[in-house]
Amino acid sequence: ADVVQNSPEGEKDIFLTRLRTMGEEARYIIHTISKILSEGAKKIALITSHPKIRHEIVRWLAGLNLFPARLQYKDGLANIIRREVKEARSIREIDEMLERRFLPGLKEALRNDLCPVEASSNIYKIARVLNEMSSVRDYMQDGLDLNTYKNIISYALEDVDDQEYINWPVDIMCLRWGDTIYGGTHVSIIPSFYQGNMPPELSSSPFFQDTSFLPANAPLFFTILFPQTETRVALAAYKLNEYILSSKDAVYLTYPALDESGSETYPSPFATIINYKELSPPAHLPIPYEPAEDRREHVAMHVKHELDRMMLDREERPEIIKDPEVKADISDRLKNATFSATSLEKYKACPYQYFMEKVLGLKPIRPKMPEVEYKDRGTIIHTALELFFKQDTQTLFAHIRGEIPFEVIEKKMTECIETAIKTHSDLIAEKDTALIEYFKARGIATCIEAIKKEKELIEEMGYPLIPKYTEWSFGMEGNQPLVLNLPHMREPANLNGKVDRIDVDETHNTFSITDYKTGETQSVIGKIEKGEHLQLPIYIEAVSKLLLNDKRPVGAFLFSLKRIEKKHGLGIEEYRKFYFPSINKKVFVEEKVWQNLIDTALRFAGEYIEKIRSLEFREDISSCKGMCDYKEACRYAKR
Ligand code: SF4
């Protein structure tokens, strides 16, 4: 108690909040974190060993992993280390740099529950390499010169994928009671601040408290093994004091009125000696997950599907349509349908999924979430970028010519996000206000990074391809479809789609296509050959035939908003150096191969449409990963 009382607390605020139950406490903490984040993503330490609270909060935070928060690592951490090692002037300088600058951060990252698995395996590799360097030094001793040492490190880091970067959702450390907050934090949140938990209840076993048999000068270590009352209280007080001192702005202490066994609790006795302010929770705390009622229904539905699955060999299978009238009716409907590239890709991935979505018209059930849903975030960001390129392309080029500063672009982009959020107000209705603000801040940051990247790409071009059309559609909104002749059916098929952006070089009569993806992108060429990717070839064909038939296509690319990169797609080699010198060489092919790839995609599209029109929806579960939106309703899903 003395330790806490006598420590300088500085200007920080300490708040104590009493909640009714542990569930409410978890919800309050989520609410508090989102509020703090919306005020600017600060560093937050959540310190709790309570499994329920940890689980609830970590699960919720993991859902926020959309926008890269640490773009400065986009070059790859291994790359950064290699660069710095190369510039070092002595072995000692390298050792100090590795030990002081990189290793502590990497170790902290590995302990962080929120570090995504893909990043942690990468971090692990780097940490292992850096750790091994000390053994290398010991082994080689004086026989090691500076250049050899640099080469060894550079070589060892070579197989770490430089494109991977640490992508923490937010700066939150999820620590257990007793852990140290490395590097301090802005805000600490300490739940379960009640008597019996803080300080912990003393053991009822007299053995561990009876220290009378110890000699008077027993080593300090023994006092931990056989703690007396004062030792345990002092240890807890010491840790609490350390957490308060490590928090720059505020400490939030919370406790539930009832513990897990339903017994009434009292605030920790430490509360009597801390200068805290009482903070009441808001009247309405949003529930971050579906209510328990829904969960019960959810389980019941699983049980029902499991029973169905056990009867897989029964005769009635909805996807095998036998009734002639129903058959005729569906055939008629499909004959007049227009098909999008993505729906045909879905058919290729799983005909049964296509059947549920397009023939039965089932809609997946989405759990209620407090934050803006993943797919809706994509829609809003697409609209914002569309607005920007519609209204502000000239401003971007004025900036490229050095006539205006980048701040003007940032302001315009912020306005576009605000307008996009207003346009899609239905998508954010009933969402947590603090999380909408958080999404807005992240959305602005992502779009600004995307524009910076586009600017870099434009600056490299021999002659610029200028964004001219955004969200150009065909086969929808009253526009002409792309007509596709089918090899075995008389009736041709109509294709539709919406192209995010078309850039045109009027001087050389060329154009390119960009499609924004909210998540990761993957290599396209191999997928076209297997009939798994149709979108870009169909878009190229549609723009060439219906919009710009006097111009030549030179490339079509996917822009990953998660990675801020234009790495995958398809381009013509002849134009690579002129228009796209820094885009991945592997996506460029000779003009003949380019045309073959487009023909291949159109052939696959025709094949799928013929199968759909022939009502072939038998499931192909060989490639099912049990991850699709319809798995709840699917008897074949692997669970
Ligand atoms: S769960 Fe698998 S088999 Fe079922 S619809 Fe989805 S992808 Fe197809």
Side-chain angles (χ1 to χ4, degrees):
D2 277 351
V3 179
V4 176
Q5 207 161 27
N6 296 329
S7 64
E9 281 160 15
E11 291 301 304
K12 75 197 61 145
D13 289 318
I14 302 180
F15 301 107
L16 179 68
T17 307
R18 177 179 184 268
L19 287 308
R20 277 173 304 183
T21 59
M22 279 190 159
E24 197 178 73
E25 190 186 16
R27 291 209 301 278
Y28 175 70
I29 291 168
I30 292 168
H31 170 85
T32 307
I33 292 178
S34 54
K35 208 168 115 262
I36 297 167
L37 289 175
S38 70
E39 287 159 6
K42 291 185 172 182
K43 209 170 166 190
I44 301 173
L46 174 76
I47 304 148
T48 175
S49 302
H50 198 288
K52 185 174 172 202
I53 296 212
R54 284 178 72 82
H55 177 77
E56 283 291 294
I57 294 168
V58 169
R59 195 159 78 100
W60 176 79
L61 287 169
L64 285 178
N65 187 13
L66 171 64
F67 299 109
R70 296 195 165 192
L71 288 167
Q72 69 265 38
Y73 283 139
K74 79 178 173 203
D75 272 343
L77 185 57
N79 237 354
I80 294 173
I81 298 174
R82 267 209 302 257
R83 223 167 26 226
E84 304 233 5
V85 163
K86 208 168 141 197
E87 276 160 24
R89 277 160 306 174
S90 69
I91 291 182
R92 192 191 163 89
E93 193 182 320
I94 295 179
D95 280 347
E96 277 186 7
M97 178 168 68
L98 299 186
E99 261 165 47
R100 297 221 183 118
R101 272 198 52 205
F102 292 112
L103 267 171
L106 290 168
K107 283 181 183 163
E108 184 203 323
L110 285 174
R111 285 149 47 102
N112 193 324
D113 288 0
L114 295 172
C115 185
V117 180
E118 44 156 18
S120 65
S121 72
N122 216 8
I123 295 168
Y124 181 73
K125 271 194 232 159
I126 300 174
R128 201 193 53 208
V129 168
L130 300 193
N131 244 342
E132 276 168 8
M133 285 309 123
S134 59
S135 334
V136 170
R137 295 265 291 106
D138 288 344
Y139 179 69
M140 297 188 70
Q141 297 198 349
D142 292 339
L144 185 69
D145 63 47
L146 179 62
N147 275 343
T148 315
Y149 196 32
K150 284 182 180 179
N151 286 342
I152 292 173
I153 297 175
S154 178
Y155 181 75
L157 288 173
E158 212 154 56
D159 71 341
V160 180
D161 181 5
D162 278 338
Q163 296 307 319
E164 291 281 355
Y165 56 95
I166 300 174
N167 176 18
W168 270 321
V170 279
D171 275 359
I172 296 184
M173 291 168 281
C174 209
L175 306 174
R176 285 171 207 281
W177 180 262
D179 288 349
T180 301
I181 307 177
Y182 289 104
T185 179
H186 287 97
V187 174
S188 286
I189 299 175
I190 307 178
S192 317
F193 194 68
Y194 59 86
Q195 186 176 336
N197 188 50
M198 201 161 308
E201 219 140 34
L202 299 171
S203 164
S204 54
S205 152
F207 174 77
F208 285 106
Q209 288 175 48
D210 180 10
T211 53
S212 55
F213 66 95
L214 291 177
N217 58 350
L220 196 63
F221 176 64
F222 273 56
T223 58
I224 297 170
L225 278 182
F226 304 98
Q228 293 176 317
T229 313
E230 310 84 71
T231 315
R232 300 188 67 158
V233 172
L235 280 176
Y238 176 80
K239 264 298 163 194
L240 177 62
N241 177 50
E242 186 185 302
Y243 293 141
I244 293 175
L245 287 177
S246 307
S247 317
K248 211 165 138 258
D249 297 343
V251 178
Y252 288 82
L253 306 164
T254 63
Y255 72 100
L258 299 175
D259 68 10
E260 257 175 328
S261 62
S263 316
E264 202 177 336
T265 65
Y266 300 94
S268 162
F270 291 148
T272 57
I273 47 161
I274 296 175
N275 193 11
Y276 67 84
K277 294 175 199 148
E278 223 160 292
L279 202 64
S280 307
H284 169 67
L285 273 174
I287 298 174
Y289 300 105
E290 69 274 25
E293 204 57 24
D294 279 8
R295 258 182 251 163
R296 265 205 296 279
E297 272 172 28
H298 197 69
V299 173
M301 199 163 73
H302 272 294
V303 171
K304 188 174 170 301
H305 290 154
E306 279 310 311
L307 289 175
D308 272 357
R309 276 153 59 85
M310 285 159 66
M311 296 166 69
L312 259 189
D313 51 353
R314 68 184 181 176
E315 272 301 288
E316 304 82 28
R317 291 171 59 178
E319 72 277 23
I320 302 175
I321 303 160
K322 289 190 186 138
D323 186 314
E325 255 181 58
V326 176
K327 253 182 152 174
D329 186 35
I330 297 177
S331 295
D332 247 19
R333 184 146 55 93
L334 292 173
K335 202 162 69 196
N336 300 322
T338 51
F339 298 88
S340 71
T342 34
S343 73
L344 295 174
E345 285 169 7
K346 267 190 195 162
Y347 177 83
K348 162 71 180 162
C350 177
Y352 189 58
Q353 181 188 346
Y354 184 94
F355 170 77
M356 284 195 277
E357 184 178 345
K358 302 289 176 192
V359 180
L360 297 184
L362 299 182
K363 296 224 173 356
I365 303 167
R366 302 210 181 269
K368 287 172 205 146
M369 310 274 272
E371 70 261 37
V372 185
E373 279 180 39
Y374 186 83
K375 69 174 181 46
D376 298 338
R377 295 179 220 176
T379 309
I380 294 172
I381 296 224
H382 266 75
T383 305
L385 287 168
E386 178 198 349
L387 281 172
F388 179 85
F389 283 110
K390 236 182 209 151
Q391 305 162 3
D392 300 312
T393 298
Q394 289 314 320
T395 321
L396 177 63
F397 276 82
H399 165 67
I400 291 173
R401 290 194 299 272
E403 292 163 13
I404 52 166
F406 193 70
E407 287 72 47
V408 179
I409 307 281
E410 287 180 344
K411 196 165 160 274
K412 297 264 183 201
M413 196 66 248
T414 308
E415 285 164 12
C416 290
I417 283 274
E418 277 161 2
T419 314
I421 289 178
K422 270 190 210 137
T423 313
H424 296 289
S425 53
D426 53 320
L427 302 181
I428 54 167
E430 294 175 27
K431 299 291 174 193
D432 186 293
T433 338
L435 288 175
I436 294 173
E437 284 306 309
Y438 175 64
F439 160 69
K440 194 169 126 190
R442 292 285 169 201
I444 291 171
T446 301
C447 288
I448 287 174
E449 288 302 323
I451 299 293
K452 271 190 201 158
K453 182 75 197 170
E454 291 288 10
K455 181 195 144 207
E456 273 170 41
L457 294 171
I458 292 171
E459 281 172 339
E460 290 168 2
M461 290 182 184
Y463 210 87
L465 282 156
I466 300 175
K468 187 163 180 190
Y469 303 93
T470 50
E471 303 284 318
W472 173 79
S473 64
F474 58 98
M476 55 209 291
E477 297 158 358
N479 296 332
Q480 229 184 320
L482 176 67
V483 177
L484 183 68
N485 289 320
L486 305 178
H488 308 108
M489 286 184 175
R490 221 156 19 111
E491 288 285 334
N494 290 338
L495 297 177
N496 66 16
K498 204 175 243 182
V499 184
D500 285 347
R501 215 181 81 207
I502 305 165
D503 301 351
V504 180
D505 172 359
E506 300 282 1
T507 312
H508 298 91
N509 267 336
T510 51
F511 74 88
S512 74
I513 285 172
T514 300
D515 193 72
Y516 291 105
K517 299 284 176 207
T518 336
E520 309 269 347
T521 57
Q522 287 179 346
S523 143
V524 159
I525 295 179
K527 287 183 153 221
I528 295 176
E529 284 161 349
K530 286 192 264 174
E532 291 169 1
H533 179 97
L534 308 177
Q535 192 189 30
L536 291 180
I538 287 180
Y539 285 3
I540 295 166
E541 185 73 1
V543 177
S544 304
K545 286 239 164 84
L546 305 172
L547 181 71
L548 300 171
N549 53 15
D550 57 335
K551 299 197 170 26
R552 298 180 77 187
V554 290
F557 305 99
L558 303 175
F559 190 115
S560 163
L561 291 166
K562 184 171 180 188
R563 298 277 181 192
I564 309 290
E565 66 183 14
K566 214 183 221 183
K567 191 177 163 196
H568 296 119
L570 186 62
I572 300 182
E573 175 60 30
E574 193 189 331
Y575 297 97
R576 183 174 65 79
K577 284 199 181 133
F578 190 61
Y579 288 122
F580 319 107
S582 71
I583 294 184
N584 185 5
K585 277 187 198 164
K586 289 185 196 152
V587 308
F588 292 89
V589 293
E590 298 301 326
E591 194 153 1
K592 216 170 99 200
V593 181
W594 159 279
Q595 195 49 53
N596 277 345
L597 286 168
I598 292 174
D599 293 344
T600 306
L602 294 174
R603 185 170 44 74
F604 273 118
E607 194 183 296
Y608 301 154
I609 293 171
E610 286 191 338
K611 283 187 177 169
I612 293 169
R613 282 187 177 170
S614 315
L615 308 187
E616 277 187 40
F617 301 115
R618 281 162 191 263
E619 82 292 354
D620 172 12
I621 53 173
S622 58
S623 57
C624 168
K625 295 187 181 75
M627 300 281 284
C628 88
D629 277 350
Y630 291 84
K631 67 176 189 300
E632 306 295 347
C634 174
R635 290 185 291 142
Y636 310 110
K638 284 181 191 161
R639 297 205 182 93

